[in-house]
Amino acid sequence: MQQGNYAGIPGQAMWTRRGTDALQTWIHTPVDGQARGLVLLAPPVGREHIQAYRSNRQLAMLLASEGYCVARACYRGVGDSHALEPDQNVVEAWRQDLLDTAAHARQVCGTEELPVWAIGHRMGATLLAGIAEHFDHVIAWEPVAGSVFVKQWSRLRNATLPDIPVGDRVDLMGLCLGNEQAAQLSSLRDPRKLANLPEHVAIFREKDQPRAKVMYGVESLDTRVHYDILDQLIRMLPRPVLTPVGGDGRGPLRNEFTAPTGVECAEEIVRVEPKDYMGVLTGPVLTDKPGRPIASWTDKPVTFYAPGASEPRDGSALWSETARELAGHGVASLRADRDGAADRAELWADRDPNPYRHANAQAMREQAQWLNNHFNSTVVATVLCSGAWDTLCAAREPEGIPVEGMILLNQNEWRMKQEFFDELRKTYDADARLHAAALTSRQAKEELARPATPRRDAVKDKVAGAASAAQSVLGAVKEKGSYALRHYAPEPVWNLIARHPEASIADYILDRASRNARVVLLVGPQDEPRYRETLTPRAVARLTGRGRDIREEYLPNVDHSILSRTARDVVVTRVVELLSQWEGRSPANG
């Protein structure tokens, strides 16, 4: 193996299996061509897959730096892997995915004669417990019973999205199962309660469960990597001597499949210049060209995606699903991570970066330019929430963004000042909330322990009452002033205000974005109040009256982050309709 030719600590993606059963696997290897063996990482599923993504990736890089080859698995129906079929037994399918990933990883790493260990996180731990005989050592990290997982996420979905119908299925927020599949998953017992748990399976569960949940069970912007826990996991693994291995940790970069429409398609793991980060290009293949290159059909655009927050490129499998659906209708697309997110995260980074950043605007510009360099076709941005903000920010800057169209999903924040979001970002820290809760509890106990002083308490009450009254008066004045400004300010004054990055006003931003591009605004019910509050419909009416190509649509049953299955069906259908009917500029060449 040549020095520097292997996957390395940051890792390299590859395809395990082919066609519509393909899985995306990430391989991480030591830098010197020697390894102690292979570690399979079985991640959580559903929304927890996204929330724990950074923790599992950082664990993989740390393991590789300690001399282990590492394979990060991705199940069918999760992340960049292909979909799980409705009639498949979910437990059998996911366990087979883990076994196939381990076998393929051993082959490409050249570790067939070395031990293979496994670390499973949450449902990954529970799945591994049933196939533990295939591994030399298994660590079940924060295992959970299937019934508990299904109940927790179905209840959370129903509590947070009560107005969006579920239909005849079990929606677990980013993972949707048929009723029989949900029953299959629910049948898995917590490994801690198994009477015949194999001796080589070790349970690892933190005593401080609220802290443990910060790595998998809070909002993605709240998650925090606890490196002391990752260190404990690494120390639980056997540590044999390093042995030279014969593989480079690199596998197939291309997978071909046939779309339901009958169109021959492919997806390739590509490097996006100029910073050479990983992306996935999906689209129809040109069967009459050597090598069957990926390219959009004549007069079809190419597109790229960006999820909300700082989440991985697949967006809880929303964009991988959309990409494959679009490929069957002749449209090629790219999905890649933004700066510092998912597989662009640096080692020792313990939390996702603020998604509202100028660095992310640059990432959107780079992805658009990459598509322009590789395809002679119209480039359209298909972006959600903060991804829409990043794209609009790029369009607002002098350099602009080389796209001829934008599909903006649930875009309702028009403020372009990064410092505003930097301050707001400080509240997105579950660890800080835990510390604050502990401090508040301690202060409350100290206050209760202090002897009561009537005079002191009376003074405190008067001061608090005066402050509250003043706050109410100021709030009322501010609200009336804001209403008057928004509804009665002359248009030139309003447009001047809109230019300021502090202002959350659509007029100036949409003016810049629509100068050389068609803009489509897709708005769900959760975002409609804020969308109207910022007077975006008025901005759209003004600009379309001047000849700009701006359209707005109000989509039913769409939650803000598009986590419900119903919302995803609506969005995928509408995006496919828009892009398959979009008028491209010329035949696309690979």
Side-chain angles (χ1 to χ4, degrees):
M1 186 164 56
Q2 297 295 319
Q3 178 73 15
N5 192 39
Y6 25 76
I9 290 174
Q12 170 66 46
M14 69 175 187
W15 296 108
T16 293
R17 298 200 304 248
R18 298 299 179 92
T20 55
D21 283 333
L23 312 171
Q24 190 179 97
T25 303
W26 271 84
I27 301 294
H28 303 258
T29 63
V31 296
D32 58 0
Q34 299 186 85
R36 307 181 194 281
L38 175 76
V39 179
L40 173 73
L41 295 187
V45 300
R47 190 63 184 160
E48 291 181 7
H49 166 77
I50 292 292
Q51 292 160 332
Y53 198 93
R54 180 173 290 258
S55 296
N56 279 263
R57 181 173 187 268
Q58 304 300 64
L59 175 59
M61 290 196 289
L62 289 173
L63 284 165
S65 68
E66 291 290 329
Y68 300 91
C69 289
V70 184
R72 287 161 47 212
C74 188
Y75 317 93
R76 274 171 281 188
V78 177
D80 282 308
S81 295
H82 274 257
L84 184 72
E85 296 298 329
D87 59 347
Q88 285 181 306
N89 183 304
V90 63
V91 174
E92 292 179 0
W94 283 350
R95 282 178 170 164
Q96 191 61 52
D97 292 344
L98 292 175
L99 294 175
D100 289 351
T101 298
H104 192 198
R106 295 185 82 182
Q107 177 186 350
V108 299
C109 290
T111 60
E112 292 96 330
E113 304 303 320
L114 297 179
V116 56
W117 307 286
I119 301 175
H121 194 191
R122 295 285 286 168
M123 280 307 306
T126 308
L127 289 163
L128 280 175
I131 51 175
E133 67 274 12
H134 294 277
F135 302 94
D136 293 283
H137 187 72
V138 173
I139 300 174
W141 176 21
E142 300 295 342
V144 60
S147 59
V148 173
F149 176 82
V150 170
K151 287 178 183 177
Q152 284 178 340
W153 282 98
S154 59
R155 288 174 179 173
L156 182 61
R157 189 262 186 239
N158 293 334
T160 56
L161 306 174
D163 298 328
I164 299 178
V166 177
D168 186 22
R169 50 198 171 184
V170 179
D171 191 346
L172 304 176
M173 307 267 284
L175 173 68
C176 190
L177 302 175
N179 290 311
E180 188 174 347
Q181 290 175 325
Q184 292 160 358
L185 195 62
S186 296
S187 68
L188 289 178
R189 297 186 63 194
D190 188 327
R192 294 174 295 161
K193 298 181 180 180
L194 294 177
N196 57 345
L197 186 68
E199 292 184 358
H200 68 296
V201 177
I203 305 293
F204 179 81
R205 193 166 184 267
E206 287 190 70
K207 293 181 180 179
D208 187 347
Q209 278 298 290
R211 184 172 186 264
K213 290 178 182 177
V214 171
M215 282 206 278
Y216 69 83
V218 295
E219 284 296 324
S220 56
L221 284 176
D222 282 342
T223 55
R224 175 69 68 86
V225 180
H226 295 142
Y227 284 94
D228 59 319
I229 299 304
L230 302 190
D231 184 60
Q232 290 181 52
L233 289 167
I234 294 170
R235 291 176 183 275
M236 291 175 68
L237 285 173
R239 195 177 178 84
V241 297
L242 292 166
T243 301
V245 294
D248 57 11
R250 297 179 180 273
L253 300 180
R254 181 181 170 102
N255 175 53
E256 295 193 354
F257 64 97
T258 302
T261 57
V263 175
E264 293 184 60
C265 305
E267 49 201 342
E268 294 178 352
I269 296 167
V270 297
R271 310 303 296 186
V272 180
E273 301 98 351
K275 297 179 182 176
D276 202 34
Y277 55 88
M278 172 268 192
V280 182
L281 180 68
T282 306
V285 298
L286 298 180
T287 55
D288 60 342
K289 295 284 185 72
R292 296 161 57 91
I294 294 174
S296 288
W297 289 349
T298 301
D299 293 330
K300 298 290 185 184
V302 294
T303 190
F304 63 94
Y305 311 106
S310 293
E311 297 182 354
R313 64 204 155 271
D314 55 78
S316 290
L318 169 65
W319 297 129
S320 51
E321 178 182 341
T322 305
R324 289 165 188 143
E325 186 78 18
L326 278 170
H329 290 82
V331 177
S333 56
L334 173 72
R335 56 187 189 275
D337 296 322
R338 283 172 287 176
D339 184 74
D343 291 294
R344 292 184 71 181
E346 297 292 335
L347 184 58
W348 303 115
D350 66 347
R351 63 192 296 193
D352 284 350
N354 189 337
Y356 296 91
R357 304 164 64 226
H358 295 294
N360 284 344
Q362 178 61 27
M364 297 294 92
R365 185 179 292 111
E366 290 166 359
Q367 293 177 32
Q369 189 60 57
W370 188 89
L371 286 172
N372 270 287
N373 293 343
H374 287 74
F375 299 95
N376 181 25
S377 187
T378 297
V379 176
V380 178
T382 305
V383 285
L384 168 66
C385 185
S386 64
W389 186 95
D390 295 334
T391 305
L392 289 167
C393 182
R396 179 182 181 274
E397 293 173 352
E399 189 177 348
I401 183 169
V403 301
E404 295 175 52
M406 300 180 193
I407 299 176
L408 308 175
L409 284 152
N410 291 338
Q411 162 62 18
N412 59 30
E413 181 54 71
W414 303 95
R415 196 188 314 262
M416 291 288 125
K417 186 178 181 182
Q418 179 179 325
E419 289 75 12
F420 169 81
F421 296 99
D422 289 339
E423 289 298 314
L424 197 64
R425 181 70 174 84
K426 293 176 182 177
T427 66
Y428 301 153
D429 185 349
D431 270 356
R433 293 178 184 180
L434 288 174
H435 295 321
L439 181 62
T440 302
S441 176
R442 188 162 60 249
Q443 288 174 334
K445 290 178 181 178
E446 293 174 354
E447 184 68 21
L448 288 173
R450 294 174 62 185
T453 304
R455 180 177 177 81
R456 183 195 69 190
D457 292 344
V459 171
K460 284 174 61 179
D461 289 344
K462 286 183 179 181
V463 171
S468 177
Q471 190 73 21
S472 298
V473 171
L474 288 173
V477 171
K478 182 178 179 181
E479 185 176 347
K480 289 181 179 180
S482 175
Y483 181 88
L485 183 65
R486 287 187 290 118
H487 290 272
Y488 299 113
E491 187 174 346
V493 174
W494 182 256
N495 290 335
L496 185 63
I497 296 172
R499 295 172 65 92
H500 197 281
E502 288 277 15
S504 185
I505 300 173
D507 297 61
Y508 177 65
I509 305 302
L510 278 176
D511 179 31
R512 293 295 299 268
S514 62
R515 285 182 184 177
N516 300 300
R518 179 190 306 168
V519 177
V520 179
L521 293 150
L522 302 180
V523 186
Q526 291 186 343
D527 292 272
E528 187 174 345
R530 176 62 177 166
Y531 181 82
R532 294 189 182 280
E533 181 187 354
T534 56
L535 302 182
T536 306
R538 188 172 74 176
V540 172
R542 286 175 174 175
L543 290 167
T544 53
R546 298 173 189 163
R548 298 297 178 83
D549 191 353
I550 306 176
R551 310 170 191 181
E552 58 183 357
E553 298 182 24
Y554 298 93
L555 300 181
N557 299 322
V558 172
D559 59 274
H560 174 70
S561 299
I562 316 181
L563 294 179
S564 71
R565 179 70 255 183
T566 301
R568 290 170 67 176
D569 289 343
V570 171
V571 168
V572 171
T573 298
R574 190 64 189 118
V575 168
V576 170
E577 289 173 349
L578 284 168
L579 288 174
S580 60
Q581 297 168 11
W582 204 286
E583 295 177 2
R585 67 170 175 241
S586 63
N589 299 315

